[in-house]
Amino acid sequence: MTDGRALKHVQVREYVRNLVTGSAPGSPAPSERELVQHFGVARMTVRQAMDALVVEGLLERIPGRGTFVARPRRTASRITGYTEEMTRRGMLAESQTLLARREQAGPGVARALALTEGDAVIHWRRLRRADGVPMCIEDAYLNEVLLPGFLQSGMPTSLYDSLESRGLRPTWAEDSVNADKATGEESSLLEVDPMSAVLRHSRRAVSGEKVVEVSRSVYRADRYTLWVQLGQDG
Amino acid sequence: MTDGRALKHVQVREYVRNLVTGSAPGSPAPSERELVQHFGVARMTVRQAMDALVVEGLLERIPGRGTFVARPRRTASRITGYTEEMTRRGMLAESQTLLARREQAGPGVARALALTEGDAVIHWRRLRRADGVPMCIEDAYLNEVLLPGFLQSGMPTSLYDSLESRGLRPTWAEDSVNADKATGEESSLLEVDPMSAVLRHSRRAVSGEKVVEVSRSVYRADRYTLWVQLGQDG
DNA sequence: CACGCTCAGCAGACTAGACAACCTGGTGCG
DNA sequence: CGCACCAGGTTGTCTAGTCTGCTGAGCGTG
């Protein structure tokens, strides 16, 4: 039995959710009157429960017909890092650390990480390959206070996996992207001709209220097209 | 006066929304009982209105205290077109139509617009300026069935405004972005040196279930950095 | 002055109805 | 056979309350 102290509309909501998850899209949910009978509550209470599921996108109401299981909506893609992104594209992601050390935050990095200049940050520079071929150079700056022992504990392949295990997976990010030509150093690391077109990508990633990562990446334009989804619904 | 036929909870909701937008976070909204008095409706109706604003994130309830203006949550930015984007950046957006005609959809455009090859589409090519200086060349393809009389009715400055007035503002979009060098034609239109770095941006914009716009744009990399927010909350 | 009590005012949860708008399917008439 | 109409079930909207739990302010007491 459900807890008698639980809110009634929550009881009804979770009952319907259980009934409905796994059902095919378009199959009918119990009618409001049925649920009124079943739970012995007022219809307003049932409606409150159903409203929540409709807002959630699990159910769909059709006036005069009933309430039905909605077909799963297109959902905002979660924020991914390089490793996940390449895996999604069916490529093997590898990284070669060029630099990993504790530094004092400069003015730009300090502002982006919401720190004060001179605070300790982790600077991690990697050459990242996909299927063995250079894809990008990434400079990541991390707030050392949020990641105690990060440099000592052996660098992970996927930064975002590592953040996730510390409960710091980014929930929000702002990216800026523009086009440029590769510098001499970049072109030799990326194994492309000097002055080749490259995509410069900056990210500021936030988990809850904390800025966890600031990064600047340079991608080979011949191998990489950035893809983003905007808006939460369809 | 608000329309008497309008739903009461909608009237109350919009009344409170107007009162509240612009107020400082933390300032109190009218109490439910006040609104009951003011509108002469039942409290359930007022609660329904307030509930909507609370789930929207505009208001915040504090039990035993009252209802207050929530501090604005970081929200997924809405999908904007060129004109809105440039206005946001404080620049004057202008467009010069290079081509606007009815065409038969080729294979790529047909697939992207969810049509069959040979269906009528509107092809609209514009040179777009910001503060008088060329910024990008945009080729937009629109589903003619959704926009009857579009070519005849005088082209708007902002495509997205025009879509909005027809109830077709994009609710979801997928963008892809990469870097390249300008072709000869592009460089002369954009008034840059040949082989300059450019940002190529493709968009597929969906409103509800309907694909309303497919576009390909070429931006001057020296003037434009794409900026996107990812994730819905903070 | 500091503490605790009471009380008014607030939102939270819920009830038991009412009528309207809407869709579907069946019935009966032309 | 085809169409109009109606009945019944559904959601949509709304009313007029009750009871509960929480908060803050004011007041009195030690």
Side-chain angles (χ1 to χ4, degrees), chain A residues 82 126-128 134-138 190 217-220:
Chain A
Y82 176 86
R126 287 179 286 179
L127 174 64
R128 317 201 74 165
M135 178 66 98
C136 86
I137 307 162
E138 179 188 303
L190 291 172
S217 307
V218 189
Y219 284 84
R220 278 175 60 163

Side-chain angles (χ1 to χ4, degrees), chain B residues 172-230:
Chain B
W172 185 85
E174 54 183 351
D175 288 19
S176 54
V177 185
N178 76 341
D180 199 2
K181 292 179 179 174
T183 66
E185 189 194 352
E186 287 164 352
S187 58
S188 69
L189 281 168
L190 291 173
E191 298 172 16
V192 293
D193 295 331
M195 305 296 281
S196 296
V198 291
L199 199 71
R200 296 193 185 274
H201 174 218
S202 302
R203 168 168 291 183
R204 192 161 150 263
V206 175
S207 174
E209 297 300 310
K210 297 182 275 284
V211 184
V212 291
E213 179 213 5
V214 166
S215 67
R216 280 191 276 270
S217 306
V218 189
Y219 284 85
R220 278 176 61 163
D222 61 338
R223 298 199 75 203
Y224 185 74
T225 296
L226 181 74
W227 183 81
V228 284
Q229 292 179 59
L230 303 172

Side-chain angles (χ1 to χ4, degrees), chain A residues 1-20 30 35-36 38-42 45-50 52-53:
Chain A
M1 274 293 102
T2 51
D3 188 351
R5 294 175 315 178
L7 272 13
K8 295 196 182 176
H9 75 262
V10 174
Q11 287 182 37
V12 176
R13 164 155 51 84
E14 296 312 311
Y15 172 81
V16 175
R17 192 202 299 284
N18 284 338
L19 269 186
V20 142
L35 292 168
V36 167
H38 188 294
F39 284 92
V41 298
T45 308
V46 171
R47 283 188 62 76
Q48 190 180 358
M50 304 290 264
L53 295 174

Side-chain angles (χ1 to χ4, degrees), chain A residues 214-231:
Chain A
V214 166
S215 67
R216 280 191 276 269
S217 307
V218 189
Y219 284 84
R220 278 175 60 163
D222 60 338
R223 297 200 74 204
Y224 184 74
T225 296
L226 181 74
W227 184 81
V228 284
Q229 290 178 59
L230 303 172

Side-chain angles (χ1 to χ4, degrees), chain A residues 30-219:
Chain A
S31 84
E32 298 182 0
R33 283 165 219 277
E34 272 179 68
L35 292 168
V36 167
Q37 287 288 322
H38 188 294
F39 284 92
V41 298
R43 204 176 134 225
M44 284 299 305
T45 308
V46 171
R47 283 188 62 76
Q48 190 180 358
M50 304 290 264
D51 277 343
L53 295 174
V54 169
V55 174
E56 231 178 85
L58 192 64
L59 296 180
E60 198 172 13
R61 284 205 235 251
I62 304 180
R65 293 282 315 280
T67 308
F68 302 87
V69 180
R71 62 167 209 289
R73 297 188 305 180
R74 194 153 34 199
T75 178
S77 58
R78 72 175 196 161
I79 295 157
T80 56
Y82 176 86
T83 308
E84 292 159 303
E85 182 59 20
M86 289 305 139
T87 303
R88 199 179 64 72
R89 298 181 185 209
M91 300 176 102
L92 174 65
E94 293 166 307
S95 295
Q96 173 187 345
T97 293
L98 302 176
L99 189 154
R101 67 176 180 210
R102 205 159 157 279
E103 292 181 357
Q104 291 190 313
V109 169
R111 183 156 25 85
L113 280 174
L115 299 173
T116 40
E117 210 173 324
D119 281 357
V121 294
I122 298 165
H123 178 188
W124 191 10
R125 165 170 254 219
R126 287 179 286 179
L127 174 64
R128 317 201 74 165
R129 296 167 195 271
D131 287 344
V133 182
M135 178 66 98
C136 86
I137 307 162
E138 179 188 303
D139 279 286
Y141 296 86
L142 309 166
N143 184 344
E144 204 201 20
V145 176
L146 296 175
L147 297 162
F150 186 80
L151 282 169
Q152 283 71 47
S153 62
M155 311 305 275
T157 305
S158 167
L159 171 58
Y160 280 35
D161 272 357
S162 161
L163 289 175
E164 181 151 34
S165 68
R166 293 169 189 246
L168 290 172
R169 173 167 260 281
T171 54
W172 185 85
E174 55 183 351
D175 288 20
S176 54
V177 185
N178 75 340
D180 199 2
K181 292 179 178 173
T183 67
E185 188 195 354
E186 286 164 352
S187 58
S188 70
L189 281 168
L190 291 172
E191 299 172 17
V192 293
D193 295 331
M195 305 296 279
S196 296
V198 290
L199 200 70
R200 297 194 185 274
H201 175 218
S202 303
R203 169 168 290 182
R204 193 160 150 263
V206 174
S207 175
E209 297 299 313
K210 297 183 276 283
V211 184
V212 291
E213 179 214 4
V214 166
S215 67
R216 280 191 276 269
S217 307
V218 189
Y219 284 84

Side-chain angles (χ1 to χ4, degrees), chain B residues 1-22:
Chain B
M1 273 292 103
T2 52
D3 188 353
R5 294 174 316 177
L7 271 12
K8 295 197 181 176
H9 76 263
V10 174
Q11 286 182 38
V12 176
R13 165 156 50 86
E14 297 312 312
Y15 171 81
V16 175
R17 192 201 299 284
N18 284 337
L19 269 187
V20 142
T21 50

